[in-house]
Amino acid sequence: MRKVVLLFISILLILPRPCDAILEGTANANIFIRIYKQRGDFGRLALWHETAAECLNLISIPMNNIAHNYYKNSGYEKWMERTEKEALEIQEQRQFHLEQAKDAWKKSKTSENVLKTEREKIAKFMNTWLPHYPDRFYNFGVYATFFKEQQERAELRKDYKRVLKLEADAAEMCAMQYDKIPIAYGLKEYVEKRDAYLRHATLLRTLAKPTLRKLPTEIKIGKNGQLQKPIKQNVTQKTKETILNIAKTNLRIKSLISDHKGVREYAWFQGFAWTVSFYNHGWGNLAIAVIDDKTGKITDILEDEQQE
C-alpha cells in the first residue's frame, strides 16, 4: 500500500481513479516522510506522518463522503459501493500513519525549535493542498470519471436537459468541496468561489428545459474556470522553469534517470519548497528532488524505492 501511494505524485498528468485523486496530498506528505526517515529525524518524521493522516481526514474523507452521498441519493449503486470500499482504504491508510507517528514520537530527540519551524512549513503545505482539489474539480476525479461519461451518454441521446442537470449537479458538488475542505479549515477567501458555483448551478437548472435543441454556451463557464477571479496562490521566489532547470542539470539526478527512456518531470510547489518528480509510465518514480524555494538549492534527493 505504501509503495503504491508514492506513485500518485504524477496523477496530474494521468487520468486517475477517483480515490487516487483524493490521496494526492497524502502522497506528497509521503515525500517528506521518506526524507526524515532517511535522515533518522524521528520528530519531523512523526509530524509528517500526522500530516499525511490529516490530509486524509480533512481532504480525502469529506471528498469521499460528498461523492458517496451523491451516488446514494441519485441511485448509482455501483458507484456508491465503490466509494464505500474506498472509504475503508482511506481509513486504513489514516490508521497506518497515526500508528507510525506514535512510534516515531517515542524515538524522537528533535528539538522543540526545529519542530516549531517544521510545523510552520506544514501549515503552508496544508494551505496549498486544501484548495487544490476543488480548484481542479473539472480536471480529474468525479467530474472526469463520472459526470463526463454520463453527459456524453445523454448528449448522444440529444437529452440536453439531462446534460445541463448533470452539469448543475457537478457545480453544486464543486461548491460543496470548497465548503467542506478549505472553508471548513478556515480559508474564508474561498467563500466567494463556493457561492459562484452555487449560482452557476441555479442558472443551469433554469436553462434545463425539455425543448432544448442544443447546449447553451453557459455550460462551459464552470469547467473553463470563468466563474470567479483566481485567488492569489502562495507566492514563490523561484519560477517553475527555474526549478525544473536546477533539477534537470543536477549530476546525481542525471545519473539516476540515464538508463531510462521516456522520462518526464513534474514540478510542484509544496507551500514552502519545490518537489520535482522524474518518472516514466513503465517504472513509476525514478527520482524526486526537493528544492528550497528561497535559495534554489537541492536539499534532498529521493531515489526510486526499488534501488534503495
Side-chain angles (χ1 to χ4, degrees), residues 162-207:
R162 172 70 174 164
V163 175
L164 283 175
K165 179 187 179 299
L166 285 163
E167 192 69 17
D169 289 348
E172 289 177 346
M173 185 176 288
C174 183
M176 192 173 296
Q177 287 187 3
Y178 278 114
D179 192 52
K180 299 298 183 182
I181 304 173
I183 295 173
Y185 186 74
L187 303 180
K188 301 302 182 184
E189 61 267 32
Y190 289 92
V191 168
E192 290 185 14
K193 272 201 167 188
R194 176 201 63 192
D195 293 346
Y197 278 100
L198 289 174
R199 289 194 298 271
H200 183 56
T202 300
L203 172 63
L204 292 172
R205 294 193 190 285
T206 302
L207 295 172

mmCIF file of all heavy atoms in Angstrom, residues 162-207:
data_model
loop_
_atom_site.group_PDB
_atom_site.id
_atom_site.type_symbol
_atom_site.label_atom_id
_atom_site.label_comp_id
_atom_site.label_asym_id
_atom_site.label_seq_id
_atom_site.Cartn_x
_atom_site.Cartn_y
_atom_site.Cartn_z
ATOM 1 N N ARG A 162 -30.888 16.716 -19.614
ATOM 2 C CA ARG A 162 -30.132 15.837 -18.725
ATOM 3 C C ARG A 162 -28.676 16.296 -18.614
ATOM 4 O O ARG A 162 -28.087 16.281 -17.528
ATOM 5 C CB ARG A 162 -30.197 14.412 -19.277
ATOM 6 C CG ARG A 162 -29.303 13.395 -18.591
ATOM 7 C CD ARG A 162 -29.772 13.086 -17.203
ATOM 8 N NE ARG A 162 -28.985 11.998 -16.624
ATOM 9 C CZ ARG A 162 -28.971 11.716 -15.324
ATOM 10 N NH1 ARG A 162 -29.700 12.428 -14.486
ATOM 11 N NH2 ARG A 162 -28.240 10.725 -14.872
ATOM 12 N N VAL A 163 -28.097 16.705 -19.729
ATOM 13 C CA VAL A 163 -26.716 17.187 -19.725
ATOM 14 C C VAL A 163 -26.583 18.395 -18.802
ATOM 15 O O VAL A 163 -25.647 18.474 -17.988
ATOM 16 C CB VAL A 163 -26.253 17.560 -21.143
ATOM 17 C CG1 VAL A 163 -24.846 18.172 -21.105
ATOM 18 C CG2 VAL A 163 -26.251 16.332 -22.047
ATOM 19 N N LEU A 164 -27.519 19.329 -18.897
ATOM 20 C CA LEU A 164 -27.472 20.520 -18.054
ATOM 21 C C LEU A 164 -27.698 20.177 -16.588
ATOM 22 O O LEU A 164 -27.069 20.765 -15.702
ATOM 23 C CB LEU A 164 -28.518 21.530 -18.521
ATOM 24 C CG LEU A 164 -28.176 22.325 -19.783
ATOM 25 C CD1 LEU A 164 -29.347 23.191 -20.189
ATOM 26 C CD2 LEU A 164 -26.946 23.182 -19.567
ATOM 27 N N LYS A 165 -28.590 19.242 -16.325
ATOM 28 C CA LYS A 165 -28.831 18.836 -14.941
ATOM 29 C C LYS A 165 -27.564 18.250 -14.325
ATOM 30 O O LYS A 165 -27.213 18.555 -13.181
ATOM 31 C CB LYS A 165 -29.965 17.819 -14.863
ATOM 32 C CG LYS A 165 -30.249 17.349 -13.433
ATOM 33 C CD LYS A 165 -31.258 16.223 -13.398
ATOM 34 C CE LYS A 165 -31.497 15.780 -11.956
ATOM 35 N NZ LYS A 165 -30.255 15.281 -11.303
ATOM 36 N N LEU A 166 -26.873 17.401 -15.087
ATOM 37 C CA LEU A 166 -25.639 16.813 -14.596
ATOM 38 C C LEU A 166 -24.577 17.885 -14.354
ATOM 39 O O LEU A 166 -23.837 17.834 -13.364
ATOM 40 C CB LEU A 166 -25.115 15.777 -15.602
ATOM 41 C CG LEU A 166 -25.869 14.449 -15.643
ATOM 42 C CD1 LEU A 166 -25.541 13.685 -16.921
ATOM 43 C CD2 LEU A 166 -25.551 13.605 -14.412
ATOM 44 N N GLU A 167 -24.517 18.870 -15.237
ATOM 45 C CA GLU A 167 -23.541 19.946 -15.070
ATOM 46 C C GLU A 167 -23.877 20.781 -13.838
ATOM 47 O O GLU A 167 -22.983 21.249 -13.123
ATOM 48 C CB GLU A 167 -23.503 20.834 -16.315
ATOM 49 C CG GLU A 167 -22.339 21.800 -16.363
ATOM 50 C CD GLU A 167 -20.998 21.110 -16.550
ATOM 51 O OE1 GLU A 167 -20.978 19.926 -16.955
ATOM 52 O OE2 GLU A 167 -19.963 21.760 -16.290
ATOM 53 N N ALA A 168 -25.171 20.957 -13.577
ATOM 54 C CA ALA A 168 -25.600 21.679 -12.374
ATOM 55 C C ALA A 168 -25.234 20.878 -11.125
ATOM 56 O O ALA A 168 -24.758 21.443 -10.124
ATOM 57 C CB ALA A 168 -27.101 21.928 -12.418
ATOM 58 N N ASP A 169 -25.448 19.570 -11.179
ATOM 59 C CA ASP A 169 -25.060 18.710 -10.055
ATOM 60 C C ASP A 169 -23.557 18.825 -9.791
ATOM 61 O O ASP A 169 -23.115 18.879 -8.635
ATOM 62 C CB ASP A 169 -25.400 17.251 -10.355
ATOM 63 C CG ASP A 169 -26.890 16.970 -10.346
ATOM 64 O OD1 ASP A 169 -27.663 17.837 -9.896
ATOM 65 O OD2 ASP A 169 -27.282 15.872 -10.799
ATOM 66 N N ALA A 170 -22.782 18.843 -10.865
ATOM 67 C CA ALA A 170 -21.325 18.943 -10.738
ATOM 68 C C ALA A 170 -20.927 20.274 -10.105
ATOM 69 O O ALA A 170 -20.050 20.317 -9.236
ATOM 70 C CB ALA A 170 -20.667 18.793 -12.104
ATOM 71 N N ALA A 171 -21.561 21.355 -10.531
ATOM 72 C CA ALA A 171 -21.247 22.674 -9.971
ATOM 73 C C ALA A 171 -21.560 22.713 -8.480
ATOM 74 O O ALA A 171 -20.803 23.286 -7.683
ATOM 75 C CB ALA A 171 -22.018 23.761 -10.711
ATOM 76 N N GLU A 172 -22.672 22.086 -8.094
ATOM 77 C CA GLU A 172 -23.016 22.018 -6.675
ATOM 78 C C GLU A 172 -22.018 21.170 -5.893
ATOM 79 O O GLU A 172 -21.676 21.502 -4.752
ATOM 80 C CB GLU A 172 -24.431 21.454 -6.516
ATOM 81 C CG GLU A 172 -25.512 22.425 -6.958
ATOM 82 C CD GLU A 172 -26.905 21.850 -6.874
ATOM 83 O OE1 GLU A 172 -27.033 20.611 -6.725
ATOM 84 O OE2 GLU A 172 -27.866 22.630 -6.972
ATOM 85 N N MET A 173 -21.526 20.098 -6.508
ATOM 86 C CA MET A 173 -20.526 19.272 -5.846
ATOM 87 C C MET A 173 -19.220 20.044 -5.681
ATOM 88 O O MET A 173 -18.563 19.947 -4.633
ATOM 89 C CB MET A 173 -20.276 17.987 -6.637
ATOM 90 C CG MET A 173 -19.330 17.030 -5.933
ATOM 91 S SD MET A 173 -19.087 15.451 -6.780
ATOM 92 C CE MET A 173 -20.667 14.655 -6.492
ATOM 93 N N CYS A 174 -18.850 20.813 -6.687
ATOM 94 C CA CYS A 174 -17.650 21.643 -6.595
ATOM 95 C C CYS A 174 -17.790 22.650 -5.456
ATOM 96 O O CYS A 174 -16.867 22.841 -4.658
ATOM 97 C CB CYS A 174 -17.417 22.371 -7.925
ATOM 98 S SG CYS A 174 -15.908 23.360 -7.978
ATOM 99 N N ALA A 175 -18.968 23.281 -5.365
ATOM 100 C CA ALA A 175 -19.231 24.233 -4.283
ATOM 101 C C ALA A 175 -19.131 23.554 -2.925
ATOM 102 O O ALA A 175 -18.577 24.111 -1.968
ATOM 103 C CB ALA A 175 -20.614 24.852 -4.467
ATOM 104 N N MET A 176 -19.643 22.327 -2.832
ATOM 105 C CA MET A 176 -19.599 21.600 -1.568
ATOM 106 C C MET A 176 -18.165 21.250 -1.181
ATOM 107 O O MET A 176 -17.813 21.256 0.002
ATOM 108 C CB MET A 176 -20.449 20.330 -1.662
ATOM 109 C CG MET A 176 -20.686 19.663 -0.320
ATOM 110 S SD MET A 176 -21.872 18.284 -0.422
ATOM 111 C CE MET A 176 -23.355 19.155 -0.904
ATOM 112 N N GLN A 177 -17.329 20.948 -2.173
ATOM 113 C CA GLN A 177 -15.924 20.675 -1.878
ATOM 114 C C GLN A 177 -15.240 21.902 -1.290
ATOM 115 O O GLN A 177 -14.468 21.800 -0.342
ATOM 116 C CB GLN A 177 -15.202 20.202 -3.137
ATOM 117 C CG GLN A 177 -15.565 18.796 -3.547
ATOM 118 C CD GLN A 177 -14.703 18.293 -4.699
ATOM 119 O OE1 GLN A 177 -13.799 18.975 -5.156
ATOM 120 N NE2 GLN A 177 -15.007 17.097 -5.158
ATOM 121 N N TYR A 178 -15.524 23.078 -1.862
ATOM 122 C CA TYR A 178 -14.974 24.305 -1.283
ATOM 123 C C TYR A 178 -15.456 24.479 0.154
ATOM 124 O O TYR A 178 -14.693 24.855 1.051
ATOM 125 C CB TYR A 178 -15.395 25.532 -2.107
ATOM 126 C CG TYR A 178 -14.547 25.773 -3.325
ATOM 127 C CD1 TYR A 178 -15.079 25.645 -4.602
ATOM 128 C CD2 TYR A 178 -13.199 26.133 -3.211
ATOM 129 C CE1 TYR A 178 -14.302 25.862 -5.734
ATOM 130 C CE2 TYR A 178 -12.417 26.344 -4.327
ATOM 131 C CZ TYR A 178 -12.977 26.219 -5.591
ATOM 132 O OH TYR A 178 -12.189 26.425 -6.698
ATOM 133 N N ASP A 179 -16.736 24.176 0.369
ATOM 134 C CA ASP A 179 -17.339 24.393 1.686
ATOM 135 C C ASP A 179 -16.786 23.435 2.734
ATOM 136 O O ASP A 179 -16.480 23.839 3.861
ATOM 137 C CB ASP A 179 -18.857 24.215 1.575
ATOM 138 C CG ASP A 179 -19.581 24.712 2.806
ATOM 139 O OD1 ASP A 179 -19.344 25.869 3.210
ATOM 140 O OD2 ASP A 179 -20.376 23.947 3.380
ATOM 141 N N LYS A 180 -16.632 22.166 2.357
ATOM 142 C CA LYS A 180 -16.258 21.127 3.320
ATOM 143 C C LYS A 180 -14.751 20.976 3.509
ATOM 144 O O LYS A 180 -14.314 20.273 4.427
ATOM 145 C CB LYS A 180 -16.847 19.775 2.889
ATOM 146 C CG LYS A 180 -18.363 19.736 2.811
ATOM 147 C CD LYS A 180 -18.994 19.988 4.163
ATOM 148 C CE LYS A 180 -20.520 19.862 4.090
ATOM 149 N NZ LYS A 180 -21.154 20.142 5.400
ATOM 150 N N ILE A 181 -13.946 21.613 2.629
ATOM 151 C CA ILE A 181 -12.494 21.424 2.751
ATOM 152 C C ILE A 181 -11.797 22.752 3.091
ATOM 153 O O ILE A 181 -11.556 23.010 4.269
ATOM 154 C CB ILE A 181 -11.913 20.744 1.501
ATOM 155 C CG1 ILE A 181 -12.653 19.414 1.263
ATOM 156 C CG2 ILE A 181 -10.417 20.473 1.671
ATOM 157 C CD1 ILE A 181 -12.299 18.720 -0.020
ATOM 158 N N PRO A 182 -11.504 23.640 2.148
ATOM 159 C CA PRO A 182 -10.763 24.850 2.556
ATOM 160 C C PRO A 182 -11.548 25.775 3.472
ATOM 161 O O PRO A 182 -10.997 26.316 4.438
ATOM 162 C CB PRO A 182 -10.415 25.532 1.225
ATOM 163 C CG PRO A 182 -11.386 24.991 0.240
ATOM 164 C CD PRO A 182 -11.690 23.599 0.687
ATOM 165 N N ILE A 183 -12.834 25.962 3.197
ATOM 166 C CA ILE A 183 -13.631 26.868 4.040
ATOM 167 C C ILE A 183 -13.786 26.298 5.445
ATOM 168 O O ILE A 183 -13.661 27.011 6.447
ATOM 169 C CB ILE A 183 -15.004 27.143 3.398
ATOM 170 C CG1 ILE A 183 -14.824 27.897 2.076
ATOM 171 C CG2 ILE A 183 -15.894 27.959 4.345
ATOM 172 C CD1 ILE A 183 -16.099 28.067 1.276
ATOM 173 N N ALA A 184 -14.039 24.996 5.543
ATOM 174 C CA ALA A 184 -14.168 24.353 6.858
ATOM 175 C C ALA A 184 -12.877 24.453 7.656
ATOM 176 O O ALA A 184 -12.905 24.492 8.886
ATOM 177 C CB ALA A 184 -14.573 22.889 6.686
ATOM 178 N N TYR A 185 -11.749 24.498 6.970
ATOM 179 C CA TYR A 185 -10.445 24.607 7.617
ATOM 180 C C TYR A 185 -10.169 26.030 8.084
ATOM 181 O O TYR A 185 -9.310 26.263 8.923
ATOM 182 C CB TYR A 185 -9.367 24.148 6.638
ATOM 183 C CG TYR A 185 -7.970 24.060 7.215
ATOM 184 C CD1 TYR A 185 -7.617 23.033 8.087
ATOM 185 C CD2 TYR A 185 -6.994 24.998 6.872
ATOM 186 C CE1 TYR A 185 -6.334 22.938 8.605
ATOM 187 C CE2 TYR A 185 -5.707 24.908 7.385
ATOM 188 C CZ TYR A 185 -5.376 23.876 8.245
ATOM 189 O OH TYR A 185 -4.098 23.792 8.745
ATOM 190 N N GLY A 186 -10.915 26.993 7.550
ATOM 191 C CA GLY A 186 -10.735 28.385 7.940
ATOM 192 C C GLY A 186 -10.258 29.292 6.834
ATOM 193 O O GLY A 186 -10.008 30.482 7.071
ATOM 194 N N LEU A 187 -10.142 28.767 5.616
ATOM 195 C CA LEU A 187 -9.709 29.589 4.475
ATOM 196 C C LEU A 187 -10.941 30.274 3.879
ATOM 197 O O LEU A 187 -11.480 29.864 2.855
ATOM 198 C CB LEU A 187 -8.990 28.721 3.448
ATOM 199 C CG LEU A 187 -7.774 27.941 3.961
ATOM 200 C CD1 LEU A 187 -7.156 27.113 2.843
ATOM 201 C CD2 LEU A 187 -6.740 28.887 4.565
ATOM 202 N N LYS A 188 -11.370 31.343 4.518
ATOM 203 C CA LYS A 188 -12.627 32.006 4.182
ATOM 204 C C LYS A 188 -12.597 32.720 2.829
ATOM 205 O O LYS A 188 -13.640 33.096 2.300
ATOM 206 C CB LYS A 188 -12.998 33.016 5.272
ATOM 207 C CG LYS A 188 -13.155 32.408 6.661
ATOM 208 C CD LYS A 188 -14.214 31.314 6.690
ATOM 209 C CE LYS A 188 -14.399 30.735 8.087
ATOM 210 N NZ LYS A 188 -15.364 29.615 8.100
ATOM 211 N N GLU A 189 -11.398 32.889 2.258
ATOM 212 C CA GLU A 189 -11.323 33.563 0.963
ATOM 213 C C GLU A 189 -11.984 32.747 -0.151
ATOM 214 O O GLU A 189 -12.201 33.261 -1.255
ATOM 215 C CB GLU A 189 -9.865 33.849 0.596
ATOM 216 C CG GLU A 189 -8.969 32.644 0.461
ATOM 217 C CD GLU A 189 -8.230 32.297 1.745
ATOM 218 O OE1 GLU A 189 -8.793 32.534 2.835
ATOM 219 O OE2 GLU A 189 -7.094 31.794 1.667
ATOM 220 N N TYR A 190 -12.315 31.489 0.147
ATOM 221 C CA TYR A 190 -12.945 30.641 -0.868
ATOM 222 C C TYR A 190 -14.473 30.677 -0.809
ATOM 223 O O TYR A 190 -15.132 29.991 -1.590
ATOM 224 C CB TYR A 190 -12.435 29.206 -0.732
ATOM 225 C CG TYR A 190 -11.002 29.076 -1.171
ATOM 226 C CD1 TYR A 190 -9.960 29.212 -0.254
ATOM 227 C CD2 TYR A 190 -10.674 28.872 -2.505
ATOM 228 C CE1 TYR A 190 -8.635 29.134 -0.656
ATOM 229 C CE2 TYR A 190 -9.356 28.793 -2.916
ATOM 230 C CZ TYR A 190 -8.338 28.929 -1.993
ATOM 231 O OH TYR A 190 -7.037 28.865 -2.400
ATOM 232 N N VAL A 191 -15.031 31.475 0.076
ATOM 233 C CA VAL A 191 -16.485 31.586 0.187
ATOM 234 C C VAL A 191 -17.089 32.116 -1.111
ATOM 235 O O VAL A 191 -18.116 31.615 -1.595
ATOM 236 C CB VAL A 191 -16.880 32.494 1.374
ATOM 237 C CG1 VAL A 191 -18.360 32.840 1.318
ATOM 238 C CG2 VAL A 191 -16.544 31.804 2.690
ATOM 239 N N GLU A 192 -16.453 33.135 -1.709
ATOM 240 C CA GLU A 192 -16.986 33.711 -2.941
ATOM 241 C C GLU A 192 -16.970 32.697 -4.086
ATOM 242 O O GLU A 192 -17.876 32.670 -4.918
ATOM 243 C CB GLU A 192 -16.187 34.956 -3.325
ATOM 244 C CG GLU A 192 -16.417 36.138 -2.389
ATOM 245 C CD GLU A 192 -15.712 37.392 -2.859
ATOM 246 O OE1 GLU A 192 -15.274 37.423 -4.026
ATOM 247 O OE2 GLU A 192 -15.609 38.343 -2.072
ATOM 248 N N LYS A 193 -15.934 31.872 -4.126
ATOM 249 C CA LYS A 193 -15.875 30.830 -5.160
ATOM 250 C C LYS A 193 -17.005 29.824 -4.961
ATOM 251 O O LYS A 193 -17.664 29.410 -5.915
ATOM 252 C CB LYS A 193 -14.518 30.120 -5.119
ATOM 253 C CG LYS A 193 -13.455 30.784 -5.964
ATOM 254 C CD LYS A 193 -12.349 29.800 -6.301
ATOM 255 C CE LYS A 193 -11.453 30.334 -7.396
ATOM 256 N NZ LYS A 193 -10.480 29.345 -7.876
ATOM 257 N N ARG A 194 -17.213 29.414 -3.715
ATOM 258 C CA ARG A 194 -18.310 28.482 -3.431
ATOM 259 C C ARG A 194 -19.638 29.046 -3.902
ATOM 260 O O ARG A 194 -20.416 28.376 -4.599
ATOM 261 C CB ARG A 194 -18.374 28.194 -1.936
ATOM 262 C CG ARG A 194 -19.535 27.299 -1.510
ATOM 263 C CD ARG A 194 -19.844 27.471 -0.037
ATOM 264 N NE ARG A 194 -20.283 28.825 0.267
ATOM 265 C CZ ARG A 194 -20.404 29.307 1.508
ATOM 266 N NH1 ARG A 194 -20.102 28.550 2.549
ATOM 267 N NH2 ARG A 194 -20.824 30.541 1.708
ATOM 268 N N ASP A 195 -19.890 30.288 -3.538
ATOM 269 C CA ASP A 195 -21.162 30.922 -3.888
ATOM 270 C C ASP A 195 -21.320 31.093 -5.398
ATOM 271 O O ASP A 195 -22.429 30.994 -5.932
ATOM 272 C CB ASP A 195 -21.280 32.273 -3.190
ATOM 273 C CG ASP A 195 -21.388 32.132 -1.679
ATOM 274 O OD1 ASP A 195 -21.632 31.004 -1.206
ATOM 275 O OD2 ASP A 195 -21.216 33.155 -0.968
ATOM 276 N N ALA A 196 -20.209 31.328 -6.097
ATOM 277 C CA ALA A 196 -20.263 31.486 -7.554
ATOM 278 C C ALA A 196 -20.703 30.180 -8.213
ATOM 279 O O ALA A 196 -21.503 30.187 -9.160
ATOM 280 C CB ALA A 196 -18.903 31.920 -8.082
ATOM 281 N N TYR A 197 -20.212 29.057 -7.712
ATOM 282 C CA TYR A 197 -20.604 27.768 -8.285
ATOM 283 C C TYR A 197 -22.050 27.417 -7.939
ATOM 284 O O TYR A 197 -22.749 26.784 -8.744
ATOM 285 C CB TYR A 197 -19.644 26.671 -7.824
ATOM 286 C CG TYR A 197 -18.387 26.642 -8.664
ATOM 287 C CD1 TYR A 197 -17.219 27.237 -8.206
ATOM 288 C CD2 TYR A 197 -18.389 26.076 -9.927
ATOM 289 C CE1 TYR A 197 -16.070 27.252 -8.989
ATOM 290 C CE2 TYR A 197 -17.249 26.080 -10.716
ATOM 291 C CZ TYR A 197 -16.092 26.671 -10.242
ATOM 292 O OH TYR A 197 -14.971 26.690 -11.028
ATOM 293 N N LEU A 198 -22.522 27.829 -6.780
ATOM 294 C CA LEU A 198 -23.929 27.614 -6.446
ATOM 295 C C LEU A 198 -24.833 28.434 -7.363
ATOM 296 O O LEU A 198 -25.874 27.947 -7.822
ATOM 297 C CB LEU A 198 -24.180 27.985 -4.978
ATOM 298 C CG LEU A 198 -23.587 27.039 -3.933
ATOM 299 C CD1 LEU A 198 -23.785 27.594 -2.529
ATOM 300 C CD2 LEU A 198 -24.208 25.647 -4.051
ATOM 301 N N ARG A 199 -24.440 29.668 -7.651
ATOM 302 C CA ARG A 199 -25.227 30.498 -8.574
ATOM 303 C C ARG A 199 -25.220 29.895 -9.972
ATOM 304 O O ARG A 199 -26.227 29.911 -10.680
ATOM 305 C CB ARG A 199 -24.677 31.925 -8.608
ATOM 306 C CG ARG A 199 -24.923 32.738 -7.340
ATOM 307 C CD ARG A 199 -24.655 34.216 -7.567
ATOM 308 N NE ARG A 199 -23.264 34.466 -7.927
ATOM 309 C CZ ARG A 199 -22.288 34.703 -7.044
ATOM 310 N NH1 ARG A 199 -22.568 34.707 -5.738
ATOM 311 N NH2 ARG A 199 -21.066 34.926 -7.450
ATOM 312 N N HIS A 200 -24.067 29.348 -10.363
ATOM 313 C CA HIS A 200 -23.959 28.741 -11.682
ATOM 314 C C HIS A 200 -24.881 27.524 -11.787
ATOM 315 O O HIS A 200 -25.532 27.315 -12.826
ATOM 316 C CB HIS A 200 -22.508 28.322 -11.931
ATOM 317 C CG HIS A 200 -22.271 27.759 -13.293
ATOM 318 N ND1 HIS A 200 -22.584 28.433 -14.453
ATOM 319 C CD2 HIS A 200 -21.738 26.570 -13.683
ATOM 320 C CE1 HIS A 200 -22.252 27.697 -15.499
ATOM 321 N NE2 HIS A 200 -21.745 26.557 -15.060
ATOM 322 N N ALA A 201 -24.951 26.730 -10.719
ATOM 323 C CA ALA A 201 -25.834 25.565 -10.715
ATOM 324 C C ALA A 201 -27.291 25.989 -10.879
ATOM 325 O O ALA A 201 -28.063 25.366 -11.631
ATOM 326 C CB ALA A 201 -25.655 24.779 -9.421
ATOM 327 N N THR A 202 -27.672 27.050 -10.204
ATOM 328 C CA THR A 202 -29.047 27.565 -10.313
ATOM 329 C C THR A 202 -29.340 28.009 -11.736
ATOM 330 O O THR A 202 -30.423 27.733 -12.285
ATOM 331 C CB THR A 202 -29.248 28.743 -9.338
ATOM 332 O OG1 THR A 202 -29.027 28.296 -7.997
ATOM 333 C CG2 THR A 202 -30.655 29.304 -9.459
ATOM 334 N N LEU A 203 -28.381 28.690 -12.360
ATOM 335 C CA LEU A 203 -28.556 29.136 -13.743
ATOM 336 C C LEU A 203 -28.747 27.951 -14.682
ATOM 337 O O LEU A 203 -29.649 27.955 -15.542
ATOM 338 C CB LEU A 203 -27.343 29.958 -14.180
ATOM 339 C CG LEU A 203 -27.279 30.337 -15.673
ATOM 340 C CD1 LEU A 203 -28.456 31.226 -16.048
ATOM 341 C CD2 LEU A 203 -25.961 31.024 -16.000
ATOM 342 N N LEU A 204 -27.934 26.931 -14.515
ATOM 343 C CA LEU A 204 -28.024 25.765 -15.389
ATOM 344 C C LEU A 204 -29.372 25.063 -15.241
ATOM 345 O O LEU A 204 -29.959 24.599 -16.229
ATOM 346 C CB LEU A 204 -26.888 24.793 -15.084
ATOM 347 C CG LEU A 204 -25.482 25.280 -15.450
ATOM 348 C CD1 LEU A 204 -24.437 24.305 -14.919
ATOM 349 C CD2 LEU A 204 -25.335 25.434 -16.954
ATOM 350 N N ARG A 205 -29.882 24.992 -14.029
ATOM 351 C CA ARG A 205 -31.179 24.356 -13.819
ATOM 352 C C ARG A 205 -32.305 25.178 -14.453
ATOM 353 O O ARG A 205 -33.297 24.637 -14.953
ATOM 354 C CB ARG A 205 -31.433 24.157 -12.328
ATOM 355 C CG ARG A 205 -30.477 23.171 -11.683
ATOM 356 C CD ARG A 205 -30.916 22.754 -10.299
ATOM 357 N NE ARG A 205 -29.865 22.000 -9.622
ATOM 358 C CZ ARG A 205 -29.548 20.741 -9.887
ATOM 359 N NH1 ARG A 205 -30.228 20.088 -10.812
ATOM 360 N NH2 ARG A 205 -28.572 20.129 -9.239
ATOM 361 N N THR A 206 -32.131 26.489 -14.445
ATOM 362 C CA THR A 206 -33.118 27.365 -15.086
ATOM 363 C C THR A 206 -33.134 27.153 -16.594
ATOM 364 O O THR A 206 -34.195 27.194 -17.242
ATOM 365 C CB THR A 206 -32.798 28.840 -14.779
ATOM 366 O OG1 THR A 206 -32.794 29.042 -13.360
ATOM 367 C CG2 THR A 206 -33.826 29.773 -15.417
ATOM 368 N N LEU A 207 -31.969 26.912 -17.153
ATOM 369 C CA LEU A 207 -31.848 26.717 -18.603
ATOM 370 C C LEU A 207 -32.248 25.323 -19.063
ATOM 371 O O LEU A 207 -32.489 25.103 -20.252
ATOM 372 C CB LEU A 207 -30.400 26.982 -19.035
ATOM 373 C CG LEU A 207 -29.885 28.414 -18.853
ATOM 374 C CD1 LEU A 207 -28.388 28.460 -19.140
ATOM 375 C CD2 LEU A 207 -30.645 29.379 -19.750
#
